[in-house]
Amino acid sequence: MTRKQLIIDSALHLFAEKGIEATSVQQITDHCGISKGAFYLSFKSKDELVFSIIEHFMNNIIREVDQAVSEGQTPSEKLHIYFVQTMKVLSQYAGFADILMKENVSAINKALIERIHYYVELSNKNLEKLLFEVFGDQIEGRQYDLVVIINGMVQSYMQYIFGSCQPFDSGKFAESLVEKTTLLATKSKIALLQHPSQFYKRIENYSIDHITEDLLSLQQQTTNSLEIDSIQLLIAELKSENPRNAIIIGLVANLEKNECFNWITLYLKKQYS
Amino acid sequence: MTRKQLIIDSALHLFAEKGIEATSVQQITDHCGISKGAFYLSFKSKDELVFSIIEHFMNNIIREVDQAVSEGQTPSEKLHIYFVQTMKVLSQYAGFADILMKENVSAINKALIERIHYYVELSNKNLEKLLFEVFGDQIEGRQYDLVVIINGMVQSYMQYIFGSCQPFDSGKFAESLVEKTTLLATKSKIALLQHPSQFYKRIENYSIDHITEDLLSLQQQTTNSLEIDSIQLLIAELKSENPRNAIIIGLVANLEKNECFNWITLYLKKQYS
DNA sequence: TATAATAATGACTAGTCGGTCACGTGTCAA
DNA sequence: TTGACACGTGACCGACTAGTCATTATTATA
């Protein structure tokens, strides 16, 4: 295991136990048996550690759920998989999920909370798309309410199940949530939320200029010439009159191997495919 | 306004902004224009301030919802009031609710998080009772799932509404949640949670010995002889073979004026009436 | 007005924090 | 054997924390 991974593992363990704010760098380095100095060889600050942990897990959570869902054959099978996988992933990353639920992340880093919101909106968009696949146009106008309610149900069940330390069956969990979702999607009439621009304000405000800016700042973190070239071409293609999706997807694939591009590759793949 | 109240107001403002952990006593005293020493004349520690804020608000939230609901005429009117009032109270105490949602309270104080759980279970019990009133025995076996789901829906809607800073109509909010709750209560079949002892483990483990212990420690905070006498008689009555509810309720009423007894009076009134 | 009692202050203590850096230590090629 | 270099260390720094207490200001009483 690399030193970086060692630090992340120790940090996750301690963060989940006592919270991010309350865990000192000293405690992390003690826990994994390295010196404080060695920590700063891997991360240039505690903030950077927190940031990289969140990036890492957010990516995995969205990606794993998305991938599993896409393997479902029928829409209703996909919905079932969505719940099973969400459950599985969240309980797998229980420590991390716990941290995110509890911690006042805004106190740690302003940029961080914005990034988390992007991830949340991204996963909301995926869920919305899935709901349309399963239930069709009958949910038109109520899709945002459904997303909010489903998130609430999942969150609340998770909270209870984690808190009670009971054994539990993810199949039954999914079955139950499919039943509730179907009931609400097919029988409910009232919708409260009607402004998609409010619901996805962060994703929609993420313009090509912002993407360019983020790409250029990420570019400085790599020396790989393929990646640097890909970034330059990507920016040019995005800014051109008629961006060609195939080229963008291809260039994004070049960046996918390097973890530091995770967020932006996920985003671009969603937008341009 | 008393100095104590001044401190609480400033603290709430700053806690909501930056989190409990990240707000120093110095910042609180600066914000309300008193010296650090003066703070420690009102609270013997920062923990005590946090504790008293949580006690205060938890009491108010449960009490206000409970009272409003009890004024409803029909069961279905009560359910509507439940949602309106929960919404109103939570948005009134938005700052505080925000703190509780975000903060890793366990890092602040172990006793505190236990107390919060008691409050949550108390409010869950109230909701369960209301659900039986409205929907009758048809929900038997599914009541815990319903409570969890309703909490999740409310929490999730609140989170979204607070986050988006949109104007919103608490009447429509309640109407929508009544519709969803009714759908789930009357049409849903599957239940995941079946162990009330797990669901209310804290309230059920709160034995008369614990109550006695808590009462005796609270007794030291008052010099009022009526209150001291009431506590002694209350303990005797609780420990007797056949506790007489009327006497307990009467004695509890004697303690209700003093805020430091808030939690325990709320609990005893629920248990013995 | 003089004295006692109370209220409020802020410099201070003892400790934690994130972050730095001069100093080993071990491993190579020359 | 020597010097160069990367890796790793932990004492140390300045900034911050919760909480204390001798001192001063204010008020009440005589």
Side-chain angles (χ1 to χ4, degrees):
Chain A
M1 197 182 317
T2 68
R3 187 180 52 203
K4 217 163 171 165
Q5 195 54 51
L6 195 73
I7 292 171
I8 287 178
D9 286 351
S10 289
L12 268 176
H13 183 258
L14 293 169
F15 285 171
E17 203 171 276
K18 331 190 307 167
I20 298 174
E21 192 90 3
T23 303
S24 68
V25 172
Q26 188 70 64
Q27 289 167 332
I28 295 170
T29 57
D30 285 352
H31 187 268
C32 54
I34 63 168
S35 70
K36 213 170 159 183
F39 174 92
Y40 285 94
L41 292 177
S42 295
F43 298 96
K44 68 175 195 286
S45 69
K46 186 184 171 184
D47 270 11
E48 199 192 84
L49 166 66
V50 175
F51 203 95
S52 96
I53 286 180
I54 288 182
E55 286 281 309
H56 178 77
F57 281 89
M58 282 293 204
N59 265 293
N60 282 14
I61 288 172
I62 293 184
R63 205 198 306 275
E64 285 175 29
V65 172
D66 210 38
Q67 195 177 317
V69 165
S70 72
E71 283 166 8
Q73 300 298 319
T74 64
S76 70
E77 190 190 340
K78 284 184 178 179
L79 189 63
H80 191 269
I81 293 175
Y82 174 85
F83 287 120
V84 169
Q85 197 65 17
T86 298
M87 193 61 184
K88 208 179 275 178
V89 169
L90 284 184
S91 59
Q92 186 184 335
Y93 300 148
F96 172 70
D98 232 43
I99 293 164
L100 275 194
M101 304 267 180
K102 286 178 180 168
E103 197 89 8
N104 189 352
V105 186
S106 62
I108 311 286
N109 190 314
K110 284 283 172 198
L112 208 56
I113 203 167
E114 269 300 301
R115 178 58 55 90
I116 289 174
H117 279 137
Y118 276 112
Y119 277 110
V120 169
E121 288 185 10
L122 212 53
S123 109
N124 281 349
K125 264 214 154 136
N126 286 345
L127 176 56
E128 184 193 338
K129 205 179 114 204
L130 176 60
L131 289 174
F132 271 114
E133 265 187 65
V134 179
F135 301 106
D137 287 343
Q138 65 176 314
I139 63 165
E140 183 65 49
R142 295 182 293 122
Q143 68 267 43
Y144 310 119
D145 286 80
L146 285 172
V147 167
V148 166
I149 289 172
I150 290 170
N151 281 338
M153 290 196 296
V154 170
Q155 216 173 305
S156 193
Y157 266 119
M158 294 296 294
Q159 219 168 300
Y160 171 72
I161 287 167
F162 287 160
S164 73
C165 304
Q166 277 184 87
F168 95 101
D169 178 336
S170 70
K172 272 183 70 178
F173 172 82
E175 196 191 334
S176 170
L177 280 174
V178 167
E179 185 214 26
K180 271 86 182 162
T181 302
T182 306
L183 259 177
L184 293 169
T186 56
K187 299 269 201 298
S188 160
K189 301 259 180 278
I190 305 171
L192 283 178
L193 315 177
Q194 277 147 355
H195 304 291
S197 65
Q198 276 289 334
F199 204 69
Y200 296 124
K201 59 184 167 185
R202 286 176 188 83
I203 284 183
E204 291 185 352
N205 286 340
Y206 194 54
S207 67
I208 296 208
D209 285 344
H210 290 121
I211 298 172
T212 306
E213 211 174 291
D214 285 358
L215 278 173
L216 287 174
S217 86
L218 285 170
Q219 192 185 15
Q220 320 220 329
Q221 289 181 31
T222 180
T223 52
N224 182 315
S225 65
L226 171 67
E227 290 174 4
I228 293 176
D229 290 348
S230 298
I231 290 174
Q232 292 300 335
L233 292 166
L234 200 49
I235 291 174
E237 193 64 33
L238 287 169
K239 290 198 168 179
S240 71
E241 295 272 329
N242 297 306
R244 288 157 293 180
N245 287 3
I247 288 185
I248 291 173
I249 298 296
L251 291 169
V252 164
N254 295 338
L255 301 178
E256 267 188 321
K257 284 140 210 158
N258 189 335
E259 227 193 42
C260 80
F261 299 115
N262 256 344
W263 143 256
I264 211 148
T265 58
L266 204 61
Y267 175 82
L268 288 171
K269 266 171 72 180
K270 276 285 150 197
Q271 290 291 309
Y272 291 90
S273 62
Chain B
M1 196 184 316
T2 67
R3 186 181 52 205
K4 216 163 170 163
Q5 195 55 50
L6 195 73
I7 292 171
I8 287 178
D9 285 351
S10 288
L12 269 176
H13 183 258
L14 293 170
F15 285 172
E17 201 172 278
K18 331 191 304 168
I20 297 174
E21 192 90 1
T23 303
S24 69
V25 173
Q26 189 70 63
Q27 289 167 331
I28 296 169
T29 57
D30 286 352
H31 186 268
C32 55
I34 62 168
S35 71
K36 209 169 165 186
F39 174 91
Y40 287 94
L41 294 175
S42 294
F43 299 94
K44 70 175 194 285
S45 69
K46 186 185 171 184
D47 271 11
E48 198 192 86
L49 165 67
V50 175
F51 202 95
S52 97
I53 286 180
I54 288 182
E55 286 283 308
H56 178 77
F57 281 89
M58 282 294 204
N59 264 293
N60 281 16
I61 288 171
I62 292 184
R63 206 198 305 276
E64 284 175 30
V65 172
D66 209 39
Q67 194 176 318
V69 165
S70 71
E71 282 165 8
Q73 302 296 320
T74 63
S76 71
E77 191 190 339
K78 284 184 178 180
L79 189 62
H80 190 269
I81 293 176
Y82 173 85
F83 288 120
V84 170
Q85 198 63 19
T86 298
M87 193 62 186
K88 208 178 276 178
V89 169
L90 284 184
S91 61
Q92 187 183 335
Y93 300 147
F96 172 70
D98 233 41
I99 293 165
L100 275 195
M101 303 268 181
K102 286 178 182 169
E103 198 89 9
N104 188 351
V105 186
S106 62
I108 311 286
N109 190 315
K110 283 283 171 199
L112 207 57
I113 203 167
E114 268 301 301
R115 178 59 54 93
I116 289 174
H117 279 136
Y118 276 112
Y119 278 110
V120 169
E121 288 185 10
L122 211 55
S123 114
N124 281 349
K125 265 216 151 133
N126 286 345
L127 177 55
E128 184 193 337
K129 205 179 114 202
L130 176 60
L131 289 174
F132 272 114
E133 264 186 67
V134 179
F135 301 106
D137 287 341
Q138 64 176 314
I139 63 165
E140 184 64 48
R142 295 182 292 121
Q143 68 267 43
Y144 309 118
D145 286 80
L146 285 172
V147 167
V148 167
I149 289 172
I150 290 170
N151 281 339
M153 290 195 296
V154 170
Q155 215 172 306
S156 194
Y157 266 119
M158 294 297 294
Q159 220 167 302
Y160 172 72
I161 287 166
F162 287 161
S164 73
C165 303
Q166 278 183 90
F168 95 101
D169 179 336
S170 69
K172 272 183 69 178
F173 171 82
E175 196 191 334
S176 170
L177 280 173
V178 167
E179 185 215 24
K180 271 88 181 161
T181 302
T182 306
L183 258 177
L184 292 169
T186 57
K187 298 270 202 301
S188 161
K189 301 258 180 278
I190 304 172
L192 283 178
L193 316 177
Q194 277 148 356
H195 305 291
S197 65
Q198 276 290 334
F199 204 69
Y200 295 125
K201 58 184 168 184
R202 286 177 188 82
I203 283 183
E204 290 184 355
N205 287 340
Y206 194 53
S207 67
I208 297 209
D209 285 344
H210 289 122
I211 299 172
T212 306
E213 209 175 292
D214 284 358
L215 279 172
L216 287 174
S217 86
L218 285 170
Q219 191 184 17
Q220 321 223 329
Q221 290 183 29
T222 180
T223 52
N224 182 315
S225 65
L226 172 67
E227 290 173 4
I228 293 175
D229 291 348
S230 299
I231 290 173
Q232 292 300 336
L233 291 167
L234 200 50
I235 291 173
E237 194 65 32
L238 287 169
K239 290 200 168 179
S240 72
E241 295 272 329
N242 298 305
R244 288 157 294 179
N245 287 3
I247 288 185
I248 291 172
I249 298 295
L251 291 169
V252 164
N254 295 338
L255 301 178
E256 267 187 321
K257 285 140 210 158
N258 189 334
E259 226 194 43
C260 80
F261 299 114
N262 256 345
W263 143 256
I264 211 151
T265 59
L266 205 60
Y267 175 81
L268 289 171
K269 266 170 73 179
K270 276 285 150 198
Q271 288 292 310
Y272 292 90
S273 60

